Amino acid sequence: MTQTSKADVVVVGAGFAGLTAARELVRLSHDVVVLEGRDRVGGRSSTVTIAGVPVDLGATFIGPTQDAVKDLARELGCQTVRTHARGKNLIKWRGRVRAYRSTIPRLSMIELFDVSRIQWRFERLCRRLSLAEPWQAAHADGLDGQTLDRWLRSLHAGASTRDLMGIMSRVTWGCEPDQVSMLHAVRYVKAAGGIGRMLDVENGAQQDRFPGGTQQIALRMADELGERVRLRAAVRRIERNADGVFTVSADGGDVTARAVVVAIPPEHRAAIDFSPALPAEYDKLAQHWPQGRLSKAYAAYETPYWRANGCSGEALSDEGPVFITFDVSPGDDGPGILLGFTDPRSFDSLPPAERRERALAGFADLFGKKALEPIDYIDFCWGADEFAPGGPTAAVPPGSWTSYGPWLRRPVDGIHWAGTETADEWTGYLDGAVRSGRRVAAEVHAELSA
């Protein structure tokens, strides 16, 4: 017999957004139940170990102006360290490895001018866009009607510029430039404070990381919430009864509540049966807000040997499958740990042994043959995740913002929406998830109080 319990609010999803919302609502004296389909909390934050060192399979870094997640981590006692950035960066470009020290790799004068020209044009568009209602901008239809790649070609961007923007697109949205709406790209970059802030390590979004991993933040929030958090409780149906009370049906039992917070990616909302059915725009939004795909590989060595050669561990490559790397070693003495973002198109379908071989070969192309002999290795393909496949955030295609953007976080009959995709600042990042949790908690509190 199915057990039924009661709460003021049911939160669907125990990622950073859902846990933050639940925590805030409990502080506001509401009775909350959090239902999570996985056997763990954290959502797209998942920490494992390699060579005994915690590493993040998902969200990893934080940086300046990401104050919401910083404050939360500080409150919970989770310390940060600087991401190693001392030394020369490397780029494998057109078959040759070169060193550079700035955000933009050392290219020819013509290529550098072209990159700067395109960046100026891009950030000019950012200044003219509203984060809260980007579909209202005078040029919204034109931007949303084309991809990032088409926009670049319309400005006659050179091949090097397009390839660099391709790397940005893969690591940011988990998709190619010809798949993402230009309006989405502009809004996303503006929400991060600009291209430089988004891509940089020093004074940028990759400046700091958590030596204990990011998932510890979610675990500590869940510990505070205690039995309010239920794992392996995938939500199947949300029914609004005639008296306005919701029945949320999940694996392991039903919960009745006065309000519901759905804190999962827009695409995954489609897995829930809503009764009565949501307005058509909400269903269409879920269909047109797909997750990107991104994979990561880590290799551990006795020491961070690349530092002895004056290398920072940061690198770019126009080949694959590894296209960007970072040094996440705990110190100079070791172990040395390289993080590589890998291209899912040429990586995810490979058997595990071949993925390892290809990733290590990518590291070796940049940092020498020592990279072929790690003491430990691990990778993870988010696009193949069994429970909720997808990349770091949504890869929103053309036409989606102007057609369905107004329904991304608009409440409907007591159902509220959270998740990093719904944030106006640092969309797609841990900080955006925390901000969305706080916003939705305030919405629900106001509704229940009224």
Side-chain angles (χ1 to χ4, degrees):
M1 182 176 177
T2 301
Q3 291 185 334
T4 300
S5 54
K6 294 182 179 180
D8 294 328
V9 186
V10 169
V11 176
V12 181
F16 274 56
L19 292 172
T20 299
R23 193 167 178 259
E24 294 295 315
L25 286 164
V26 168
R27 286 179 170 181
L28 292 166
S29 301
H30 296 291
D31 186 19
V32 179
V33 170
V34 182
L35 300 176
E36 168 58 49
R38 289 185 170 98
D39 61 358
R40 62 169 181 83
V41 299
R44 283 166 277 180
S45 166
S46 176
T47 303
V48 296
T49 59
I50 179 172
V53 177
V55 293
D56 288 303
L57 299 179
T60 305
F61 302 107
I62 66 169
T65 75
Q66 296 187 11
D67 300 323
V69 70
K70 277 186 179 179
D71 291 345
L72 174 63
R74 190 180 301 113
E75 184 182 341
L76 294 169
C78 301
Q79 303 299 314
T80 62
V81 296
R82 285 291 181 99
T83 303
H84 183 77
R86 189 174 65 254
K88 60 189 177 184
N89 304 335
L90 300 177
I91 182 170
K92 184 176 183 183
W93 201 253
R94 311 300 188 243
R96 188 163 69 93
V97 177
R98 290 177 279 182
Y100 69 99
R101 291 186 181 273
S102 58
T103 301
I104 300 175
R106 202 171 75 191
L107 307 171
S108 70
M109 288 300 295
I110 293 175
E111 289 171 319
L112 283 174
F113 175 79
D114 191 55
V115 170
S116 298
R117 175 180 69 93
I118 294 301
Q119 183 173 346
W120 181 85
R121 294 291 294 267
F122 194 105
E123 295 194 335
R124 184 166 173 248
L125 291 172
C126 289
R127 290 193 293 270
R128 299 163 56 195
L129 193 71
S130 161
L131 287 171
E133 297 182 328
W135 55 87
Q136 296 282 22
H139 54 305
D141 287 335
L143 291 179
D144 204 32
Q146 63 184 316
T147 63
L148 170 59
D149 180 70
R150 181 178 167 190
W151 178 80
L152 290 169
R153 292 180 184 277
S154 73
L155 295 180
H156 306 290
S160 293
T161 300
R162 296 199 309 274
D163 287 347
L164 285 172
M165 294 295 278
I167 291 174
M168 182 187 86
S169 181
R170 287 178 209 116
V171 75
T172 303
W173 305 294
C175 71
E176 294 302 300
D178 63 358
Q179 296 173 300
V180 65
S181 157
M182 183 59 186
L183 180 61
H184 182 67
V186 172
R187 181 191 181 275
Y188 193 101
V189 169
K190 180 170 183 174
I195 291 178
R197 176 60 57 82
M198 188 176 78
L199 298 180
D200 283 349
V201 173
E202 293 188 44
N203 202 36
Q206 287 69 234
Q207 176 178 284
D208 303 297
R209 60 185 183 84
F210 295 91
T214 59
Q215 194 183 0
Q216 64 178 315
I217 302 171
L219 290 167
R220 294 184 187 191
M221 283 194 284
D223 286 345
E224 284 186 0
L225 292 167
E227 293 183 355
R228 299 180 182 91
V229 180
R230 303 180 186 179
L231 303 180
R232 299 184 183 88
V235 172
R236 308 297 179 182
R237 180 179 172 86
I238 298 175
E239 182 176 359
R240 189 173 190 274
N241 304 307
D243 58 0
V245 173
F246 290 94
T247 300
V248 181
S249 301
D251 296 350
D254 297 349
V255 185
T256 60
R258 297 161 58 202
V260 177
V261 172
V262 179
I264 59 178
E267 180 183 31
H268 298 150
R269 299 173 187 175
I272 300 173
D273 177 29
F274 291 89
S275 178
L278 297 174
E281 291 84 0
Y282 290 88
D283 289 336
K284 291 176 181 176
L285 177 125
Q287 297 166 18
H288 292 85
W289 225 268
Q291 290 298 102
R293 294 173 60 211
L294 190 62
S295 304
K296 296 174 80 171
Y298 286 93
Y301 305 89
E302 293 288 352
T303 64
Y305 66 87
W306 49 89
R307 295 186 185 181
N309 298 328
C311 294
S312 66
E314 289 179 51
L316 300 173
S317 175
D318 63 353
E319 297 182 8
V322 176
F323 61 87
I324 187 168
T325 71
F326 296 93
D327 178 345
V328 292
S329 310
D332 289 337
D333 296 332
I337 300 176
L338 284 174
L339 155 61
F341 288 86
T342 60
D343 187 343
R345 297 172 302 169
S346 58
F347 192 73
D348 288 11
S349 62
L350 301 175
E354 194 170 346
R355 289 203 307 268
R356 182 182 188 276
E357 180 182 343
R358 294 284 303 280
L360 295 179
F363 289 141
D365 285 345
L366 295 161
F367 301 106
K369 291 185 178 180
K370 279 188 178 181
L372 297 174
E373 300 175 356
I375 59 173
D376 203 357
Y377 172 89
I378 192 170
D379 63 43
F380 190 76
C381 305
W382 281 95
D385 182 59
E386 289 185 14
F387 183 77
T393 185
V396 182
S400 298
W401 266 108
T402 48
S403 298
Y404 313 111
W407 291 274
L408 181 62
R409 67 185 191 199
R410 183 182 296 174
V412 53
D413 294 332
I415 300 173
H416 299 255
W417 314 98
T420 188
E421 288 81 11
T422 69
D424 286 343
E425 292 182 62
W426 288 108
T427 310
Y429 290 77
L430 289 176
D431 190 76
V434 174
R435 290 176 190 272
S436 78
R438 291 177 177 174
R439 169 191 54 78
V440 83
E443 283 180 7
V444 172
H445 175 64
E447 180 178 281
L448 294 182
S449 299

